[in-house]
Amino acid sequence: RVQLDIAARMGIPVVHLPPSDAAMVVEMFVAANPPDPVVVVDGLLGTGAAAPVREPIAGLVRWINGQRWPVVAIEVPTGLDADAGAPMG
């Protein structure tokens, strides 16, 4: 929450999207009409993930990876095995 507050004070537009339904999240993001350039902050899953990513998160990850924007992960990119450095699944 601290970093989000700092971004708000700096005037950085932030679109917070809950990952409950991938299609809904994509619709919310598109409706927010974020300005370019966009940086996607991947905080979906962290180092505790031990299995391949399942829906609806998998659909959201596919959509994000298909965009032209850079993606920055908080810990490790969602779906990446933190020990091996390879995609899970």
Side-chain angles (χ1 to χ4, degrees):
R1 181 73 194 173
V2 172
Q3 301 303 325
L4 182 59
D5 292 341
I6 291 170
R9 286 195 303 273
M10 293 175 67
I12 298 171
V14 174
V15 179
H16 181 103
L17 302 172
S20 58
D21 174 26
M24 178 198 67
V25 170
V26 170
E27 288 175 18
M28 289 173 61
F29 184 82
V30 171
N33 194 24
D36 283 330
V38 171
V39 174
V40 176
V41 178
D42 175 358
L44 298 170
L45 301 175
T47 56
V53 180
R54 296 184 308 251
E55 297 297 339
I57 301 297
L60 183 56
V61 169
R62 283 191 302 275
W63 183 82
I64 290 170
N65 288 340
Q67 304 307 307
R68 60 178 163 52
W69 310 303
V71 178
V72 178
I74 293 173
E75 293 179 334
V76 296
T78 298
L80 188 72
D81 182 311
D83 294 323
M88 294 186 294

